[in-house]
Amino acid sequence: MKKLLCAIFIICFGINNAVAEEVLTFPIYVHIVEIDQNIKQTQYKVDSNDKVTSSSIKMVPYKTSVTKEIIKKDFLKLNKIWSQANIRFHIRDINFTKSETKNFKKYGELAFKNYDSYSYIDTSLRHLLEIIDHKRHDNERGINAYYVPTMLADICGAWDNDNNIMIIGSSEEKKFNPIVKLYGKCNRIETLAHEFGHTVQLDHSDISQNLMMSTGLDVDMGTNLTKEQIIEARKFMKKVLGK
Ligand SMILES: [Zn+2]
């Protein structure tokens, strides 16, 4: 009986403690990047052991297929994950934006210089980089999140700290990753939640099932945050929000 009472006390205390913490809200501007064209992409053929037998470059459809309704639902799920830190990402606006093609190459080299192994970078990358280049000064009032069709073969989302810009692939299609030799897909909600972790200045974590794990497509990274991460994220947000 004593043990039961103690457990109840701890649970109640936990809940009360969470409620007492002020909810911190970040303004978010969502842009659906209107892309609807065919692009070059490497397609892999594999045998029964998932060994690549051949690869070929094909023209495939590259189209942003999310709607405002889908994005609103994404943010409901995203905010559920972040409620463990009493942090909320509030959509101020969702608009459609055109992608323009100019001046992206140099910035691309800078942004992706650490990804040496990506020798098969295809034209989809160009769209991502041109968005960063085109919108780099449009970040005065909050975080800009850009929905594109899909990202590089094994990147699901990206955060550009210098320009307050997040890019997220909207496709959750399963595909073959030739580097880790596995099939996988991006989980859009977990990717969004992870990238927003970077927006509040959290680094990657090795802890299993942690939201900030940096994993490939094959591993479910989880949605947990540690006490330390929550403290760090809230501290940063309070600073930004002037609290
Ligand atoms: Zn990351």
Side-chain angles (χ1 to χ4, degrees):
M1 195 59 192
K2 235 181 184 179
K3 259 184 188 167
L4 181 67
L5 280 175
C6 179
I8 290 167
F9 173 75
I10 288 165
I11 291 163
C12 293
F13 180 78
I15 292 166
N16 285 338
N17 198 33
V19 170
E21 283 238 60
E22 175 194 10
V23 175
L24 300 171
T25 304
F26 237 169
I28 310 296
Y29 294 84
V30 179
H31 312 271
I32 301 173
V33 186
E34 290 187 297
I35 304 172
D36 183 7
Q37 63 177 75
N38 291 322
I39 58 157
K40 274 186 201 167
Q41 214 166 51
T42 312
Q43 310 264 299
Y44 299 94
K45 273 199 181 135
V46 294
D47 62 18
S48 55
N49 298 317
D50 286 347
K51 195 168 179 282
V52 177
T53 53
S54 67
S55 68
S56 57
I57 293 178
K58 282 196 176 135
M59 295 299 284
V60 296
Y62 192 68
K63 182 179 165 72
T64 317
S65 54
V66 287
T67 61
K68 289 188 180 184
E69 285 63 40
I70 289 173
I71 290 169
K72 282 178 194 163
K73 279 185 194 158
D74 279 5
F75 273 71
L76 283 178
K77 291 177 190 163
L78 161 78
N79 282 325
K80 213 169 185 181
I81 293 172
W82 273 93
S83 65
Q84 64 188 298
N86 274 356
I87 286 175
R88 200 170 147 259
F89 299 97
H90 174 67
I91 300 178
R92 285 274 176 87
D93 185 48
I94 306 177
N95 65 41
F96 289 87
T97 183
K98 289 259 180 244
S99 147
E100 290 175 16
T101 306
K102 59 172 183 177
N103 266 343
F104 49 79
K105 205 169 174 183
K106 192 166 162 239
Y107 192 72
E109 282 163 15
L110 286 172
F112 288 87
K113 67 182 174 193
N114 295 325
Y115 294 89
D116 300 334
S117 55
Y118 297 164
S119 54
Y120 53 90
I121 287 174
D122 59 33
T123 46
S124 64
L125 178 59
R126 295 186 174 188
H127 282 288
L128 314 181
L129 302 175
E130 84 200 34
I131 291 159
I132 292 168
D133 190 65
H134 180 59
K135 295 287 181 184
R136 68 168 66 189
H137 301 299
D138 181 20
N139 57 22
E140 294 297 309
R141 300 163 300 166
I143 305 244
N144 286 278
Y146 290 82
Y147 275 73
V148 298
T150 181
M151 297 205 50
L152 282 171
D154 50 2
I155 299 176
C156 298
W159 164 243
D160 175 16
N161 207 25
D162 295 335
N163 301 302
N164 285 3
I165 285 170
M166 177 196 300
I167 306 173
I168 175 102
S170 49
S171 168
E172 291 186 297
E173 196 187 321
K174 219 173 176 189
K175 53 194 172 185
F176 185 74
N177 180 329
I179 292 175
V180 291
K181 298 182 174 47
L182 283 170
Y183 288 95
K185 63 174 186 145
C186 292
N187 179 319
R188 197 173 65 242
I189 307 298
E190 285 187 6
T191 305
L192 264 178
H194 173 96
E195 298 306 335
F196 274 115
H198 287 308
T199 71
V200 290
Q201 305 300 296
L202 294 185
D203 291 331
H204 284 147
S205 162
D206 298 333
I207 303 165
S208 168
Q209 293 300 304
N210 190 274
L211 181 63
M212 297 315 291
M213 271 183 89
S214 174
T215 67
L217 292 171
D218 51 316
V219 185
D220 190 6
M221 58 194 173
T223 55
N224 298 333
L225 288 167
T226 65
K227 224 183 235 173
E228 291 72 27
Q229 286 172 320
I230 291 172
I231 290 168
E232 202 183 325
R234 288 183 63 84
K235 197 171 143 197
F236 173 76
M237 276 189 79
K238 280 185 177 169
K239 198 173 103 191
V240 170
L241 299 171
K243 293 194 177 191

